[in-house]
Amino acid sequence: MLREVFGMNVKYHRIRQGLTQEEAAARCEISSEYLRKIECGKQAATLDTIEKISTGLNVMAKDLLNETS
């Protein structure tokens, strides 16, 4: 459940910023394939990856984990 919430929030913030998966992945310093799997809820993110994504998208980590983001 949390994996899916996190993925939906990452996708929401990425799209809100007008970024492709490739652009967002580059900002977050992860592969676009890894980002795609995270957004689909098929890959769990480590704490280090959550930090990279929150930094890359300029979003607080708690907002990526919140069900009401």
Side-chain angles (χ1 to χ4, degrees), residues 27-30 47-57:
R27 282 190 184 188
C28 299
E29 300 178 352
I30 61 174
L47 289 175
D48 290 338
T49 302
I50 292 170
E51 183 176 28
K52 284 182 179 183
I53 292 172
S54 73
T55 300
L57 296 179

Side-chain angles (χ1 to χ4, degrees), residues 15-64:
I15 290 171
R16 189 168 150 239
Q17 294 178 37
L19 299 171
T20 66
Q21 285 182 332
E22 292 76 15
E23 292 167 335
R27 282 190 184 188
C28 299
E29 300 178 352
I30 61 174
S31 74
S32 56
E33 179 67 16
Y34 187 34
L35 180 62
R36 184 189 67 73
K37 288 179 180 179
I38 288 171
E39 286 186 355
C40 292
K42 295 183 180 185
Q43 179 73 47
T46 65
L47 289 175
D48 290 338
T49 302
I50 292 170
E51 183 176 28
K52 284 182 179 183
I53 292 172
S54 73
T55 300
L57 296 179
N58 198 30
V59 177
M60 294 183 70
K62 70 178 184 79
D63 293 333
L64 295 174

